[in-house]
Amino acid sequence: QSPDYEHVVNISELRVFSEGELPSSVQQWKTLDGKADLVLLVTDPGDEFLFFCGLIPKYIAQGREVMLCVVVNTDAPYKCEMLDGLWQCGLMNYPYIAYFKPNMQATAKQQYAVWSEVQFVRHVSRIVRIYKPDVLVTHAIDGEGVDGGHKVCADAAIKSITTAMDNKYDVGYGVKLFGNWQLKKLYLHLYGSNRTA
């Protein structure tokens, strides 16, 4: 780092609570330990609201175990906005945030060249193994506009139908730790047939 670069910390709000029950606005996240009914796989924090609207609150209201998995590990303000929104939706499972850097390309081929197709598909297979969802929901095949990250999420999700059952598609002993898993349903945003509300 440059010697003239300074770290500045600003506190915009500070709340102090007395002893007793905390208000519902105080975020107390939990780690999902077990199976999810539905996994929503998105590229960036905020995509879950931009492209999937009321999906999270709808299925939480039905008593479903919902898990959000985000591909891009971005900066703190975006993560905070995402967490605030998820909490308002009623989601208390802390989201899974992968390690891919925010370097968006226009096509799936270009995006895979940056993120490594092998690693990315293996990582999505690991997510399926960890959370064992009945349903996986993700982006449109053609992306949401010009964004290769959305396109590879769709591509890897389609591949995970078979790769999450294939021991070759493994990251960090995922098969040994979590076993293989077969998805029951995959929903792609804006897909042409078999749509659901």
Side-chain angles (χ1 to χ4, degrees), residues 122-162:
R122 284 180 176 169
H123 203 93
V124 172
S125 301
R126 178 183 177 86
I127 288 169
V128 170
R129 288 184 175 114
I130 291 171
Y131 297 110
K132 298 179 173 30
D134 296 323
V135 179
L136 177 63
V137 181
T138 194
H139 292 288
I141 291 174
D142 294 328
E144 322 287 359
V146 183
D147 192 326
H150 298 153
K151 295 171 186 175
V152 299
C153 276
D155 181 68
I158 292 167
K159 290 175 178 171
S160 75
I161 294 169
T162 54

Side-chain angles (χ1 to χ4, degrees), residues 8 25 172:
V8 177
S25 60

